[in-house]
Amino acid sequence: MKPFDYVRPATVTEAVAAAAQPGAVYLAAGTNLLDLMKGGVSRPDRLVDVAHLDGLDAIETLADGSLRIGALVSNADLAHDAEFARAYPAVAEALLSGASAQLRNAATVGGNLLQRTRCGYFYDTASRCNKREAGSGCDARDGENRSHAVLGWSESCIATHPSDFCVPLVALDAVVEIEGRNGRREIALDALHCLPGNTPERDSALEPGDLIVAVRLPPAARGFATHARYLKVRERTSYAFAVVSAAAALRIENGKIAEARLALGGVAAKPWRARAAEDVLKGVAPTADAFQEAAWRALTDAKPSGDNAFKIELARRIVVRALTLAAAGTPARIPALPASPFASTSGAIHA
Amino acid sequence: MPELNLTSAPAHLRHGSNIGQPLTRRDGVLKVKGQATYAADNHPPGMLFAVMAVSGISRGRVSSLDVAAAKRHPGVVDVMTPDHKPPLAVDPEIKTNPFVFRMEVLQSNEVRYANQPIAVVIAETLEAATEGAALLAPRYETLPALVGLDAGESFVPPVVGVGNPTEVHRGDVEAGLASAEKQIDATYETPPQYHNAMEPHAIVASWDGDRLQIDMPTQGLMLSLARIAELFGIAHDKIHIRSPFLGGGFGSKGLMAGPPTLGIMAAKLVGRPVKLVLRREQMYGPVGHRAPTRQRLRIGADGEGRLTALDHHARTVSSTFDDFYEPAADASHTLYAAPAIRTSHDAVRVNTGTPLFMRAPGEATGSIALESAIDEMAWACGIDPLAFRLKNYAEVEPISGKPFSSKALRACYEQGAARFGWAKRSLPPRQMRDDAGQLVGWGMGTATFPALMFQAEARAAIRRDGSGVMEIGAHDMGQGAWTALAQIAADAVGLDVDRVEFRAGTSDLPDAGIAGGSAHTATAGAAIHSAGAAVIAKLADLATNDERSPLFGAGNAGVTARDGRLIRRDDESRSESYAEILARAGVAEVEARGTGAPNPAAMEEYAMHAHGAVFAEVKVDPELGQVRVTRMVGAFAAGRIVNPHLVKSQLFGGMIWGLSFALHEEAITDRRSGRIMNANLGEYHIPVNADVPPLDVITVEEHDPHVNALGIKGVGEIGITGSAGAVANAVWHATGVRVRRFPIRIEELLTQS
């Protein structure tokens, strides 16, 4: 392993200063970074360990009704927070469908947002990858790319963002609080992740030294609690990334959809908010036809990047199902197989 | 060898014989406490760490390595390369016997497959060696890689598997097909798969002059020892290998491979003990795998649903430099009573590490294709799949015409079907739904695996205190040899299992043969049984020839050994304890050796196979195509069951592997570079607990007087066969979509909704 400096700052300000140096990266739980380092994919000079910083592990309701989640809250603690799961059930379900129980116990909110793609060519240092090494080429483009992006990809990169958590978050207009060299700022989660374009090496809008300190769900996000689901098709029941996933949240008033939120996972380099689909659902009854129409709208711009045309059709079907499940109402308990198509199958046994 | 403190739970104290008791594994407590010493847990004083640098290309040459940069890295002691390595006594390219595979031990800078070792960095710490390997920054002259089942010219290999004929036929297949009322002509594909034992290949090697001490997981202590002796030009008795526990092997730890050999070379180069452990991704290359196959089955049936012909052809791959051919088509030799059978194979050479035996080699790949095709034919004939199999039940082995040494398959079908509730199955597909609207499908497959025997030797002793010793260089891969073989040993010497010191897992013990072919319990068990009988005979000689003994004059045949005593057969009131016999004779212990070996006369006369029937239920989301197995029942007849607890465990493991074969496992190979793109356990999917439904295993009573003295057939591999096909057939029954490329992918099931 490449030798590196390890620093453990006492404050956020110290952390930002330490991480602003070239070659520095933040370390929280390390569930992704350490694997990347062991594989030689990431070779940082300096790890700035933020896992012990004070004040970043709280879940708090703000005066305006927003929820503020500290960046160091673990995925498991957040998902199992009963109040949180009641208010944002699709987010809790997404969290519980991600990774494995052990990983969720360690992995943090901030780290989940910033996890790297699972593209095999990104991980394989013998292959060319523009994201790993700018300008080296993309071996995925004509390679084994059945699981790659169908939206927002470019000729330089067809990787997807693997997070489950981010999908309902982006649907609910989550905001990311960032501490940087010039103080605190915030951006919409939807603006955090970058599409590849010609600069796939850039995953996010973060600048050197920027530290995500919290994720905030605005007051309106609570309005969907009774009609919100996350659905994830995957190749095994646990410890597998989504082939395609969707978060659907509806505010239903007088039998009509007052407001819809829809986002897709596993389809692009970022959690994919489907605003056009949301628009067609506004003010209509929650019917199968409306959901079909929304599904078509959501995937209008989709095109295969390789052997993955099926993902477009699968995504449409997942959109329809997720909306159908959301319309049927959030279940009283998170299913034993969270986000699984088999979640409601009787006799399903908890992982 | 650290002292092994094996335990038995009090609840499992024996009543009657040891064989047949469901003892929990005696090494279980050690493992749970982390006290079982696996190879890589050893740290002899002065030990260094070796890390392999492996090839990024799959064909070409290494044109440069930055050895200087690696050596400059703090902690790096030496860098072993083709130009700087200790000599070997024989060329690793020479195959000295069929169980020797060519290996890459830096004999040249040619690259034949991705992840081939190209250098070894030896350092004071694992981290320094790892970084040293990264700093080598190899450059290559790259040639176009040969990848996939259609790479280059195909050819017919001289043999498949281990010496099986490439082509076998009986009867006139073409005539049988021509006369058939129904015909199936279907092609199935199975992917490359990797053994992925939990414990990576590892070695700790220490040289002391020309003596060599090795800690290394191996399924074949003596085969490994002989290969090491040959490679390094040292006598067998200079080498000591310890392999008390393996964290799985599945065939990949049977034969000496390149990486552990490099560990021994590295230790020799630096003159200090060296540990070399493979990284997970390095296990996708130099330590074997299951080759991909493309299998075409042509089957004919008459108007009654009786097979008229079965033609099974398999295309597979081997490496560009050595030969192992997955004998997939051979799976069609034994199960179904077609009057005409032909099996054949061809192959292409690709840039891959040489394929190898992987749990049920040939049987696993062949079974999923055969069982799918039989299912297709049953449907074509409009007959229930179980009824179809019964209609074509083989009373004698179809390919040879030999009678079976025993075959309780009919009972497996009956008991498995009853437990599963098979009779309620709808004949047509896509008829069943659960209350949530998911498609439900039921499928079945027949399981079979040959009952093999190798050769082994054991040494038994009875000590002055009346306790016993049994020594055999047997291998516990996790299957439970420490327990099952000790049970056989206890019965062999007429003692309780806790009164027998059972020694295994090191190369200085008698040769137990290889732990493979599902034959270890039978082979080692037969040797133990025979050694036990021999030592008891010696003990009986002491007693029956001594006029002071109550057994005097009984003759060897006149006594029986039980509970630490010899007892007159004709008068059970006359007996004497082992301790009394030895004390009076003034002997510290008596010892004897015994052997286990196949019986050629019985093999000539009988076909010997274990059998089983597996039933699976799957649910499939009708729109989204995701599959979930919800129930599996397997009924297996495998001769005598030595330990029902461990046997079930083995069969569960096999059935889960079958599920994995049908739905999950695949090494994704880049079609241009030949590199495996999912060489890690995050992306190379095997089932997680949540994918595995409640499993139900029935062990069907079967007595086989011919296979070996103990009547054991072996259970290590059979569970995969039948199971993979049962799951695949259940997916068809749920959806009406016949997927012929495995694993079954979501996109294949999105065709309709």
PDB file of all heavy atoms in Angstrom, chain B residues 7-8 12-14 17-19 21 23 26 468 482-491 493-502:
ATOM      1  N   THR B   7     -13.588 -31.184  20.386  1.00  0.00           N
ATOM      2  CA  THR B   7     -14.607 -31.322  21.426  1.00  0.00           C
ATOM      3  C   THR B   7     -15.834 -32.058  20.905  1.00  0.00           C
ATOM      4  O   THR B   7     -16.107 -32.070  19.709  1.00  0.00           O
ATOM      5  CB  THR B   7     -15.072 -29.937  21.897  1.00  0.00           C
ATOM      6  OG1 THR B   7     -15.449 -29.184  20.753  1.00  0.00           O
ATOM      7  CG2 THR B   7     -13.996 -29.214  22.664  1.00  0.00           C
ATOM      8  N   SER B   8     -16.563 -32.653  21.817  1.00  0.00           N
ATOM      9  CA  SER B   8     -17.883 -33.192  21.488  1.00  0.00           C
ATOM     10  C   SER B   8     -18.861 -32.630  22.500  1.00  0.00           C
ATOM     11  O   SER B   8     -18.575 -32.611  23.696  1.00  0.00           O
ATOM     12  CB  SER B   8     -17.911 -34.712  21.602  1.00  0.00           C
ATOM     13  OG  SER B   8     -17.029 -35.284  20.694  1.00  0.00           O
ATOM     14  N   HIS B  12     -24.087 -35.281  22.532  1.00  0.00           N
ATOM     15  CA  HIS B  12     -23.787 -36.189  21.437  1.00  0.00           C
ATOM     16  C   HIS B  12     -22.940 -37.376  21.866  1.00  0.00           C
ATOM     17  O   HIS B  12     -22.318 -38.015  21.051  1.00  0.00           O
ATOM     18  CB  HIS B  12     -23.113 -35.421  20.297  1.00  0.00           C
ATOM     19  CG  HIS B  12     -24.061 -34.473  19.636  1.00  0.00           C
ATOM     20  ND1 HIS B  12     -23.788 -33.138  19.475  1.00  0.00           N
ATOM     21  CD2 HIS B  12     -25.292 -34.663  19.141  1.00  0.00           C
ATOM     22  CE1 HIS B  12     -24.820 -32.552  18.894  1.00  0.00           C
ATOM     23  NE2 HIS B  12     -25.738 -33.449  18.678  1.00  0.00           N
ATOM     24  N   LEU B  13     -22.911 -37.627  23.160  1.00  0.00           N
ATOM     25  CA  LEU B  13     -22.225 -38.838  23.587  1.00  0.00           C
ATOM     26  C   LEU B  13     -22.884 -40.027  22.899  1.00  0.00           C
ATOM     27  O   LEU B  13     -24.092 -40.089  22.735  1.00  0.00           O
ATOM     28  CB  LEU B  13     -22.317 -38.985  25.103  1.00  0.00           C
ATOM     29  CG  LEU B  13     -21.457 -37.984  25.879  1.00  0.00           C
ATOM     30  CD1 LEU B  13     -21.604 -38.211  27.368  1.00  0.00           C
ATOM     31  CD2 LEU B  13     -19.993 -38.099  25.475  1.00  0.00           C
ATOM     32  N   ARG B  14     -22.070 -40.968  22.518  1.00  0.00           N
ATOM     33  CA  ARG B  14     -22.627 -41.988  21.641  1.00  0.00           C
ATOM     34  C   ARG B  14     -23.456 -43.020  22.405  1.00  0.00           C
ATOM     35  O   ARG B  14     -23.225 -43.295  23.576  1.00  0.00           O
ATOM     36  CB  ARG B  14     -21.496 -42.681  20.885  1.00  0.00           C
ATOM     37  CG  ARG B  14     -20.914 -43.881  21.581  1.00  0.00           C
ATOM     38  CD  ARG B  14     -19.711 -44.374  20.859  1.00  0.00           C
ATOM     39  NE  ARG B  14     -19.078 -45.401  21.656  1.00  0.00           N
ATOM     40  CZ  ARG B  14     -19.241 -46.686  21.440  1.00  0.00           C
ATOM     41  NH1 ARG B  14     -19.997 -47.096  20.451  1.00  0.00           N
ATOM     42  NH2 ARG B  14     -18.651 -47.571  22.199  1.00  0.00           N
ATOM     43  N   SER B  17     -23.140 -47.466  18.033  1.00  0.00           N
ATOM     44  CA  SER B  17     -21.999 -47.226  17.150  1.00  0.00           C
ATOM     45  C   SER B  17     -21.741 -45.737  16.996  1.00  0.00           C
ATOM     46  O   SER B  17     -22.598 -44.897  17.262  1.00  0.00           O
ATOM     47  CB  SER B  17     -22.265 -47.837  15.784  1.00  0.00           C
ATOM     48  OG  SER B  17     -23.156 -47.024  15.071  1.00  0.00           O
ATOM     49  N   ASN B  18     -20.529 -45.419  16.594  1.00  0.00           N
ATOM     50  CA  ASN B  18     -20.186 -44.030  16.304  1.00  0.00           C
ATOM     51  C   ASN B  18     -20.664 -43.621  14.926  1.00  0.00           C
ATOM     52  O   ASN B  18     -21.210 -42.543  14.732  1.00  0.00           O
ATOM     53  CB  ASN B  18     -18.665 -43.851  16.396  1.00  0.00           C
ATOM     54  CG  ASN B  18     -18.180 -43.973  17.822  1.00  0.00           C
ATOM     55  OD1 ASN B  18     -18.375 -43.073  18.604  1.00  0.00           O
ATOM     56  ND2 ASN B  18     -17.613 -45.116  18.164  1.00  0.00           N
ATOM     57  N   ILE B  19     -20.449 -44.519  13.962  1.00  0.00           N
ATOM     58  CA  ILE B  19     -20.916 -44.220  12.607  1.00  0.00           C
ATOM     59  C   ILE B  19     -22.435 -44.100  12.644  1.00  0.00           C
ATOM     60  O   ILE B  19     -23.113 -44.908  13.261  1.00  0.00           O
ATOM     61  CB  ILE B  19     -20.478 -45.329  11.628  1.00  0.00           C
ATOM     62  CG1 ILE B  19     -18.957 -45.311  11.481  1.00  0.00           C
ATOM     63  CG2 ILE B  19     -21.165 -45.155  10.280  1.00  0.00           C
ATOM     64  CD1 ILE B  19     -18.409 -46.403  10.583  1.00  0.00           C
ATOM     65  N   GLN B  21     -23.952 -41.420  13.894  1.00  0.00           N
ATOM     66  CA  GLN B  21     -24.340 -40.432  14.893  1.00  0.00           C
ATOM     67  C   GLN B  21     -24.203 -39.005  14.332  1.00  0.00           C
ATOM     68  O   GLN B  21     -23.221 -38.709  13.663  1.00  0.00           O
ATOM     69  CB  GLN B  21     -23.452 -40.544  16.131  1.00  0.00           C
ATOM     70  CG  GLN B  21     -23.607 -41.850  16.887  1.00  0.00           C
ATOM     71  CD  GLN B  21     -24.993 -42.019  17.465  1.00  0.00           C
ATOM     72  OE1 GLN B  21     -25.569 -41.075  17.985  1.00  0.00           O
ATOM     73  NE2 GLN B  21     -25.539 -43.208  17.342  1.00  0.00           N
ATOM     74  N   LEU B  23     -22.968 -36.242  15.242  1.00  0.00           N
ATOM     75  CA  LEU B  23     -22.081 -35.411  16.066  1.00  0.00           C
ATOM     76  C   LEU B  23     -21.938 -34.027  15.443  1.00  0.00           C
ATOM     77  O   LEU B  23     -21.839 -33.903  14.227  1.00  0.00           O
ATOM     78  CB  LEU B  23     -20.686 -36.028  16.164  1.00  0.00           C
ATOM     79  CG  LEU B  23     -20.505 -37.442  16.716  1.00  0.00           C
ATOM     80  CD1 LEU B  23     -19.030 -37.673  17.024  1.00  0.00           C
ATOM     81  CD2 LEU B  23     -21.346 -37.670  17.952  1.00  0.00           C
ATOM     82  N   ARG B  26     -16.255 -31.543  15.567  1.00  0.00           N
ATOM     83  CA  ARG B  26     -15.411 -31.537  16.761  1.00  0.00           C
ATOM     84  C   ARG B  26     -14.439 -30.356  16.743  1.00  0.00           C
ATOM     85  O   ARG B  26     -13.861 -30.026  17.770  1.00  0.00           O
ATOM     86  CB  ARG B  26     -14.680 -32.858  16.873  1.00  0.00           C
ATOM     87  CG  ARG B  26     -15.655 -34.037  16.937  1.00  0.00           C
ATOM     88  CD  ARG B  26     -14.939 -35.355  16.705  1.00  0.00           C
ATOM     89  NE  ARG B  26     -14.163 -35.746  17.867  1.00  0.00           N
ATOM     90  CZ  ARG B  26     -12.904 -36.153  17.814  1.00  0.00           C
ATOM     91  NH1 ARG B  26     -12.278 -36.208  16.658  1.00  0.00           N
ATOM     92  NH2 ARG B  26     -12.263 -36.491  18.902  1.00  0.00           N
ATOM     93  N   GLY B 468      -7.074 -45.352  21.973  1.00  0.00           N
ATOM     94  CA  GLY B 468      -6.655 -45.658  20.606  1.00  0.00           C
ATOM     95  C   GLY B 468      -6.048 -44.452  19.928  1.00  0.00           C
ATOM     96  O   GLY B 468      -6.225 -43.305  20.357  1.00  0.00           O
ATOM     97  N   TRP B 482     -12.521 -34.048  10.373  1.00  0.00           N
ATOM     98  CA  TRP B 482     -12.081 -34.251  11.761  1.00  0.00           C
ATOM     99  C   TRP B 482     -13.112 -35.047  12.541  1.00  0.00           C
ATOM    100  O   TRP B 482     -12.796 -35.713  13.515  1.00  0.00           O
ATOM    101  CB  TRP B 482     -11.853 -32.900  12.455  1.00  0.00           C
ATOM    102  CG  TRP B 482     -10.543 -32.241  12.167  1.00  0.00           C
ATOM    103  CD1 TRP B 482     -10.363 -31.038  11.535  1.00  0.00           C
ATOM    104  CD2 TRP B 482      -9.230 -32.701  12.512  1.00  0.00           C
ATOM    105  NE1 TRP B 482      -9.027 -30.743  11.457  1.00  0.00           N
ATOM    106  CE2 TRP B 482      -8.303 -31.749  12.063  1.00  0.00           C
ATOM    107  CE3 TRP B 482      -8.750 -33.840  13.167  1.00  0.00           C
ATOM    108  CZ2 TRP B 482      -6.926 -31.878  12.229  1.00  0.00           C
ATOM    109  CZ3 TRP B 482      -7.376 -33.977  13.337  1.00  0.00           C
ATOM    110  CH2 TRP B 482      -6.476 -33.000  12.868  1.00  0.00           C
ATOM    111  N   THR B 483     -14.338 -34.918  12.149  1.00  0.00           N
ATOM    112  CA  THR B 483     -15.417 -35.562  12.893  1.00  0.00           C
ATOM    113  C   THR B 483     -15.813 -36.900  12.281  1.00  0.00           C
ATOM    114  O   THR B 483     -15.797 -37.932  12.948  1.00  0.00           O
ATOM    115  CB  THR B 483     -16.637 -34.612  12.931  1.00  0.00           C
ATOM    116  OG1 THR B 483     -16.196 -33.338  13.403  1.00  0.00           O
ATOM    117  CG2 THR B 483     -17.724 -35.153  13.840  1.00  0.00           C
ATOM    118  N   ALA B 484     -16.130 -36.884  10.992  1.00  0.00           N
ATOM    119  CA  ALA B 484     -16.651 -38.107  10.358  1.00  0.00           C
ATOM    120  C   ALA B 484     -15.602 -39.209  10.345  1.00  0.00           C
ATOM    121  O   ALA B 484     -15.908 -40.375  10.631  1.00  0.00           O
ATOM    122  CB  ALA B 484     -17.115 -37.792   8.935  1.00  0.00           C
ATOM    123  N   LEU B 485     -14.358 -38.845  10.018  1.00  0.00           N
ATOM    124  CA  LEU B 485     -13.326 -39.886   9.975  1.00  0.00           C
ATOM    125  C   LEU B 485     -13.006 -40.393  11.385  1.00  0.00           C
ATOM    126  O   LEU B 485     -12.698 -41.570  11.575  1.00  0.00           O
ATOM    127  CB  LEU B 485     -12.068 -39.354   9.279  1.00  0.00           C
ATOM    128  CG  LEU B 485     -12.257 -39.032   7.784  1.00  0.00           C
ATOM    129  CD1 LEU B 485     -10.953 -38.500   7.192  1.00  0.00           C
ATOM    130  CD2 LEU B 485     -12.738 -40.251   7.001  1.00  0.00           C
ATOM    131  N   ALA B 486     -13.099 -39.497  12.358  1.00  0.00           N
ATOM    132  CA  ALA B 486     -12.875 -39.932  13.740  1.00  0.00           C
ATOM    133  C   ALA B 486     -13.976 -40.898  14.182  1.00  0.00           C
ATOM    134  O   ALA B 486     -13.724 -41.830  14.944  1.00  0.00           O
ATOM    135  CB  ALA B 486     -12.822 -38.725  14.674  1.00  0.00           C
ATOM    136  N   GLN B 487     -15.177 -40.693  13.692  1.00  0.00           N
ATOM    137  CA  GLN B 487     -16.269 -41.625  14.021  1.00  0.00           C
ATOM    138  C   GLN B 487     -15.978 -43.007  13.434  1.00  0.00           C
ATOM    139  O   GLN B 487     -16.197 -44.027  14.090  1.00  0.00           O
ATOM    140  CB  GLN B 487     -17.599 -41.095  13.458  1.00  0.00           C
ATOM    141  CG  GLN B 487     -18.157 -39.921  14.234  1.00  0.00           C
ATOM    142  CD  GLN B 487     -19.409 -39.351  13.591  1.00  0.00           C
ATOM    143  OE1 GLN B 487     -19.339 -38.378  12.846  1.00  0.00           O
ATOM    144  NE2 GLN B 487     -20.561 -39.952  13.861  1.00  0.00           N
ATOM    145  N   ILE B 488     -15.498 -43.004  12.193  1.00  0.00           N
ATOM    146  CA  ILE B 488     -15.151 -44.289  11.569  1.00  0.00           C
ATOM    147  C   ILE B 488     -14.008 -44.938  12.344  1.00  0.00           C
ATOM    148  O   ILE B 488     -14.007 -46.145  12.612  1.00  0.00           O
ATOM    149  CB  ILE B 488     -14.774 -44.084  10.088  1.00  0.00           C
ATOM    150  CG1 ILE B 488     -15.974 -43.537   9.306  1.00  0.00           C
ATOM    151  CG2 ILE B 488     -14.281 -45.392   9.467  1.00  0.00           C
ATOM    152  CD1 ILE B 488     -15.651 -43.122   7.873  1.00  0.00           C
ATOM    153  N   ALA B 489     -13.041 -44.096  12.734  1.00  0.00           N
ATOM    154  CA  ALA B 489     -11.890 -44.612  13.486  1.00  0.00           C
ATOM    155  C   ALA B 489     -12.346 -45.235  14.805  1.00  0.00           C
ATOM    156  O   ALA B 489     -11.858 -46.304  15.209  1.00  0.00           O
ATOM    157  CB  ALA B 489     -10.894 -43.482  13.747  1.00  0.00           C
ATOM    158  N   ALA B 490     -13.268 -44.572  15.477  1.00  0.00           N
ATOM    159  CA  ALA B 490     -13.725 -45.072  16.777  1.00  0.00           C
ATOM    160  C   ALA B 490     -14.364 -46.452  16.623  1.00  0.00           C
ATOM    161  O   ALA B 490     -14.074 -47.377  17.388  1.00  0.00           O
ATOM    162  CB  ALA B 490     -14.710 -44.080  17.391  1.00  0.00           C
ATOM    163  N   ASP B 491     -15.209 -46.594  15.628  1.00  0.00           N
ATOM    164  CA  ASP B 491     -15.823 -47.903  15.411  1.00  0.00           C
ATOM    165  C   ASP B 491     -14.790 -48.936  14.983  1.00  0.00           C
ATOM    166  O   ASP B 491     -14.882 -50.110  15.342  1.00  0.00           O
ATOM    167  CB  ASP B 491     -16.928 -47.803  14.351  1.00  0.00           C
ATOM    168  CG  ASP B 491     -18.236 -47.303  14.953  1.00  0.00           C
ATOM    169  OD1 ASP B 491     -18.228 -46.953  16.152  1.00  0.00           O
ATOM    170  OD2 ASP B 491     -19.248 -47.258  14.235  1.00  0.00           O
ATOM    171  N   VAL B 493     -11.800 -49.311  15.917  1.00  0.00           N
ATOM    172  CA  VAL B 493     -11.028 -49.855  17.030  1.00  0.00           C
ATOM    173  C   VAL B 493     -11.903 -50.156  18.252  1.00  0.00           C
ATOM    174  O   VAL B 493     -11.380 -50.416  19.341  1.00  0.00           O
ATOM    175  CB  VAL B 493      -9.853 -48.925  17.428  1.00  0.00           C
ATOM    176  CG1 VAL B 493      -8.852 -48.826  16.276  1.00  0.00           C
ATOM    177  CG2 VAL B 493     -10.344 -47.534  17.837  1.00  0.00           C
ATOM    178  N   GLY B 494     -13.197 -50.117  18.071  1.00  0.00           N
ATOM    179  CA  GLY B 494     -14.092 -50.512  19.160  1.00  0.00           C
ATOM    180  C   GLY B 494     -14.005 -49.618  20.382  1.00  0.00           C
ATOM    181  O   GLY B 494     -14.004 -50.083  21.518  1.00  0.00           O
ATOM    182  N   LEU B 495     -13.892 -48.313  20.154  1.00  0.00           N
ATOM    183  CA  LEU B 495     -13.803 -47.358  21.259  1.00  0.00           C
ATOM    184  C   LEU B 495     -14.772 -46.213  21.013  1.00  0.00           C
ATOM    185  O   LEU B 495     -15.209 -45.987  19.879  1.00  0.00           O
ATOM    186  CB  LEU B 495     -12.381 -46.777  21.351  1.00  0.00           C
ATOM    187  CG  LEU B 495     -11.300 -47.697  21.913  1.00  0.00           C
ATOM    188  CD1 LEU B 495      -9.922 -47.126  21.617  1.00  0.00           C
ATOM    189  CD2 LEU B 495     -11.489 -47.885  23.417  1.00  0.00           C
ATOM    190  N   ASP B 496     -15.054 -45.491  22.078  1.00  0.00           N
ATOM    191  CA  ASP B 496     -15.812 -44.269  21.891  1.00  0.00           C
ATOM    192  C   ASP B 496     -14.918 -43.241  21.203  1.00  0.00           C
ATOM    193  O   ASP B 496     -13.699 -43.254  21.348  1.00  0.00           O
ATOM    194  CB  ASP B 496     -16.265 -43.726  23.250  1.00  0.00           C
ATOM    195  CG  ASP B 496     -17.214 -42.567  23.062  1.00  0.00           C
ATOM    196  OD1 ASP B 496     -18.413 -42.831  22.904  1.00  0.00           O
ATOM    197  OD2 ASP B 496     -16.751 -41.405  23.039  1.00  0.00           O
ATOM    198  N   VAL B 497     -15.556 -42.342  20.482  1.00  0.00           N
ATOM    199  CA  VAL B 497     -14.787 -41.372  19.695  1.00  0.00           C
ATOM    200  C   VAL B 497     -13.861 -40.538  20.582  1.00  0.00           C
ATOM    201  O   VAL B 497     -12.772 -40.145  20.161  1.00  0.00           O
ATOM    202  CB  VAL B 497     -15.735 -40.504  18.829  1.00  0.00           C
ATOM    203  CG1 VAL B 497     -16.542 -39.540  19.692  1.00  0.00           C
ATOM    204  CG2 VAL B 497     -15.000 -39.781  17.734  1.00  0.00           C
ATOM    205  N   ASP B 498     -14.244 -40.282  21.808  1.00  0.00           N
ATOM    206  CA  ASP B 498     -13.401 -39.484  22.683  1.00  0.00           C
ATOM    207  C   ASP B 498     -12.212 -40.276  23.253  1.00  0.00           C
ATOM    208  O   ASP B 498     -11.342 -39.701  23.891  1.00  0.00           O
ATOM    209  CB  ASP B 498     -14.231 -38.898  23.838  1.00  0.00           C
ATOM    210  CG  ASP B 498     -15.181 -37.828  23.334  1.00  0.00           C
ATOM    211  OD1 ASP B 498     -14.840 -37.179  22.322  1.00  0.00           O
ATOM    212  OD2 ASP B 498     -16.260 -37.654  23.928  1.00  0.00           O
ATOM    213  N   ARG B 499     -12.197 -41.561  23.025  1.00  0.00           N
ATOM    214  CA  ARG B 499     -11.073 -42.384  23.499  1.00  0.00           C
ATOM    215  C   ARG B 499     -10.067 -42.654  22.377  1.00  0.00           C
ATOM    216  O   ARG B 499      -9.105 -43.390  22.560  1.00  0.00           O
ATOM    217  CB  ARG B 499     -11.602 -43.720  24.054  1.00  0.00           C
ATOM    218  CG  ARG B 499     -12.360 -43.570  25.375  1.00  0.00           C
ATOM    219  CD  ARG B 499     -11.406 -43.358  26.548  1.00  0.00           C
ATOM    220  NE  ARG B 499     -10.694 -44.604  26.914  1.00  0.00           N
ATOM    221  CZ  ARG B 499      -9.540 -44.634  27.563  1.00  0.00           C
ATOM    222  NH1 ARG B 499      -8.948 -43.503  27.901  1.00  0.00           N
ATOM    223  NH2 ARG B 499      -8.976 -45.786  27.870  1.00  0.00           N
ATOM    224  N   VAL B 500     -10.323 -42.071  21.232  1.00  0.00           N
ATOM    225  CA  VAL B 500      -9.414 -42.270  20.106  1.00  0.00           C
ATOM    226  C   VAL B 500      -8.756 -40.942  19.762  1.00  0.00           C
ATOM    227  O   VAL B 500      -9.441 -39.951  19.503  1.00  0.00           O
ATOM    228  CB  VAL B 500     -10.153 -42.801  18.856  1.00  0.00           C
ATOM    229  CG1 VAL B 500      -9.165 -43.014  17.713  1.00  0.00           C
ATOM    230  CG2 VAL B 500     -10.884 -44.085  19.172  1.00  0.00           C
ATOM    231  N   GLU B 501      -7.448 -40.920  19.809  1.00  0.00           N
ATOM    232  CA  GLU B 501      -6.743 -39.722  19.362  1.00  0.00           C
ATOM    233  C   GLU B 501      -6.654 -39.787  17.851  1.00  0.00           C
ATOM    234  O   GLU B 501      -5.994 -40.662  17.290  1.00  0.00           O
ATOM    235  CB  GLU B 501      -5.352 -39.672  19.997  1.00  0.00           C
ATOM    236  CG  GLU B 501      -4.636 -38.378  19.681  1.00  0.00           C
ATOM    237  CD  GLU B 501      -3.218 -38.355  20.246  1.00  0.00           C
ATOM    238  OE1 GLU B 501      -2.947 -39.048  21.251  1.00  0.00           O
ATOM    239  OE2 GLU B 501      -2.385 -37.660  19.660  1.00  0.00           O
ATOM    240  N   PHE B 502      -7.347 -38.890  17.198  1.00  0.00           N
ATOM    241  CA  PHE B 502      -7.401 -38.921  15.736  1.00  0.00           C
ATOM    242  C   PHE B 502      -6.468 -37.847  15.203  1.00  0.00           C
ATOM    243  O   PHE B 502      -6.627 -36.668  15.498  1.00  0.00           O
ATOM    244  CB  PHE B 502      -8.834 -38.659  15.262  1.00  0.00           C
ATOM    245  CG  PHE B 502      -8.959 -38.667  13.773  1.00  0.00           C
ATOM    246  CD1 PHE B 502      -8.767 -39.842  13.059  1.00  0.00           C
ATOM    247  CD2 PHE B 502      -9.248 -37.500  13.072  1.00  0.00           C
ATOM    248  CE1 PHE B 502      -8.865 -39.850  11.671  1.00  0.00           C
ATOM    249  CE2 PHE B 502      -9.340 -37.505  11.700  1.00  0.00           C
ATOM    250  CZ  PHE B 502      -9.151 -38.677  10.997  1.00  0.00           C
TER     251      PHE B 502
END
